[in-house]
Amino acid sequence: MAANFWTSSHYKQLFDQEDVDVVFPLDKEKGITLEDFKLIKMHMASYISKLAQHVKVRQRVVATAVTYMRRVYTRKSMSEYDPRLVAPTCLYLASKAEESTVQAKLLVFYIRKIYSDEKYRYEIKDILEMEMKILEALNYYLVVYHPYRSLSQLLQDASLNDISMTQLTWGVVNDTYKMDLALVHPPHLIALACIYIASVLKEKDTTAWFEELRVDMNVVKNISMEILDFYENHRMIPEERFNAALNKLGLQTLDGQASLRARRL
């Protein structure tokens, strides 16, 4: 675990779970429940990942983008900040923050290729405008620490850094970004929870190693239970369920937004 995490803006911005699980009044008025709120964020995390595969950026960029998206919705409502625009914009911003810059026009091209739905159709200027709003919502704090570095070090320390364990734990860490864990827990504890799950699945006795670490195993086990609960209850949710939650927001298509802007002018 990098020592400077504890003095970083990331550490200072960690939330209690109850502060993350807050649906804003504007969204509540539209019938958005806490379950809807979580589903939409999960869907947008998958959207970011799908888009990232097309523009070919590293997993770290995806993880940073998803963290930005989740941070935004601790401060702004989905009614004001359309998730379908926030998701690609967060990827655009993360690509710059992680020095793997992707051009906005490339994102727009692949968004159109992935989705035929007009509600996903945004232009370059929309991404650039939303980027400024997201920067403001994040208070310009763009540093994000991830579990990957800790994971590699911890696996080596535990003599569990064979290909099988490395692939399994890496995959579990990737899945944690479909939840809000990165907003609530330090990255090294998330990494430990993923190792704990993998060691149980692979029937490896890590009891003594965990005892030597002197970490709070209650926290590690609680994180592990959240991950396992996700696998059991949320991994295979039909697309219709996500769409039903998004449709409650009733966000306008671009044509509708253009008409509204024209009327205002």
Side-chain angles (χ1 to χ4, degrees), residues 48-201:
I48 289 170
S49 183
K50 192 184 298 183
L51 199 51
Q53 288 172 11
H54 283 81
V55 297
K56 295 180 170 51
V57 292
R58 296 170 297 145
Q59 176 59 31
R60 183 182 179 87
V61 179
V62 176
T64 297
V66 173
T67 304
Y68 288 168
M69 179 268 293
R70 291 183 177 279
R71 282 181 181 175
V72 165
Y73 291 121
T74 62
R75 299 180 173 95
K76 302 294 180 180
S77 74
M78 290 182 171
S79 298
E80 295 174 294
Y81 285 62
D82 184 348
R84 287 164 289 218
L85 177 56
V86 168
T89 306
C90 283
L91 182 60
Y92 176 65
L93 181 58
S95 74
K96 293 198 284 188
E98 298 292 351
E99 300 180 350
S100 300
T101 306
V102 174
Q103 292 183 327
K105 66 179 179 181
L106 193 62
L107 288 171
V108 168
F109 172 79
Y110 280 114
I111 290 167
R112 292 180 176 182
K113 194 171 181 179
I114 295 168
Y115 290 103
S116 58
D117 188 340
E118 284 294 319
K119 290 181 180 177
Y120 284 87
R121 294 297 176 92
Y122 286 100
E123 304 297 334
I124 294 170
K125 65 179 179 61
D126 297 308
I127 288 177
L128 298 180
E129 286 173 8
M130 181 54 77
E131 180 189 18
M132 298 312 298
K133 292 181 179 180
I134 287 172
L135 280 167
E136 192 174 334
L138 296 175
N139 293 324
Y140 299 91
Y141 292 139
L142 301 180
V143 173
V144 180
Y145 285 80
H146 298 291
Y148 301 112
R149 184 177 177 183
S150 299
L151 184 66
S152 299
Q153 294 171 341
L154 290 164
L155 284 172
Q156 187 171 358
D157 183 65
S159 300
L160 295 171
N161 54 334
D162 57 88
I163 292 175
S164 176
M165 278 293 288
T166 300
Q167 288 180 338
L168 178 56
T169 50
W170 190 278
V172 178
V173 168
N174 288 347
D175 285 337
T176 65
Y177 288 93
K178 296 174 184 175
M179 298 164 268
D180 289 311
L181 294 176
L183 302 189
V184 180
H185 301 287
H188 74 287
L189 290 180
I190 296 172
L192 285 171
C194 295
I195 292 172
Y196 180 76
I197 289 171
S199 64
V200 171
L201 292 174

Side-chain angles (χ1 to χ4, degrees), residues 5 10 14-15 17 181-187 189-190 219 223 226:
F5 166 76
H10 183 155
L14 288 180
F15 294 88
Q17 187 65 54
L181 294 176
L183 302 189
V184 180
H185 301 287
L189 290 180
I190 296 172
V219 175
I223 297 172
E226 282 190 61

Side-chain angles (χ1 to χ4, degrees), residues 9-23:
S9 59
H10 183 155
Y11 172 65
K12 292 169 186 173
Q13 290 185 92
L14 288 180
F15 294 88
D16 291 328
Q17 187 65 54
E18 55 265 31
D19 294 324
V20 174
D21 291 339
V22 174
V23 180

